[in-house]
Amino acid sequence: QVQLVESGGGLVQAGGSLRLSCAASGRTFSNNAMGWFRQAPGKDLEFVAAIIWSGTSTYYTDSVKGRFTISRDNAKNTVYLQMNSLKPEDTAVYYCAGDLVSRRTVIATTPRGYDYWGQGTQVTVSS
């Protein structure tokens, strides 16, 4: 059974940092793109960041560029999201997602581009 398990969420003051982790099990994702999405209360699921299978290309939504960094460790089957300079508007449940297609070179930025999802981790940024 394939599982993606997020961790690292919590409560932080504005300007602070958090590092989210997404550990995969049940299959290797070393040849698959991985992404992070978030959903704030009353809002739709929003793309945050993604990284291709090799780690050589990343993509971010405009609101997090320069503050968030996505990375991966294929040996550990884990993807990370380093979040710096957090703002109250970053408050949301953050979800990790994995692509089923191997070695895709075009990063998907919509939920439809991903086939595996974690249960989510809450990030709350206080002002």
Side-chain angles (χ1 to χ4, degrees):
Q1 181 181 0
V2 178
Q3 283 191 312
L4 299 178
V5 179
E6 301 97 335
S7 61
L11 173 65
V12 64
Q13 288 187 332
S17 298
L18 284 174
R19 187 195 194 203
L20 304 184
S21 298
C22 172
S25 62
R27 66 158 285 173
T28 179
F29 281 88
S30 60
N31 288 314
N32 304 88
M34 301 291 291
W36 286 96
F37 289 77
R38 65 187 179 186
Q39 188 167 28
K43 295 190 176 181
D44 292 334
L45 193 61
E46 176 191 24
F47 170 78
V48 177
I51 186 168
I52 67 168
W53 66 274
S54 62
T56 55
S57 182
T58 58
Y59 192 78
Y60 301 90
T61 192
D62 286 345
S63 63
V64 308
K65 285 180 181 176
R67 300 189 298 122
F68 290 11
T69 302
I70 188 171
S71 61
R72 65 191 301 160
D73 185 337
N74 285 341
K76 294 182 179 180
N77 217 19
T78 300
V79 65
Y80 305 96
L81 185 68
Q82 177 67 43
M83 306 186 295
N84 299 329
S85 302
L86 282 161
K87 303 175 181 180
E89 50 263 45
D90 295 317
T91 295
V93 177
Y94 283 71
Y95 297 92
C96 171
D99 185 1
L100 176 64
V101 176
S102 294
R103 303 201 172 191
R104 195 194 301 268
T105 56
V106 177
I107 292 179
T109 59
T110 66
R112 289 180 59 185
Y114 297 86
D115 306 278
Y116 301 101
W117 292 85
Q119 82 291 346
T121 185
Q122 176 70 47
V123 171
T124 303
V125 184
S126 63
S127 58

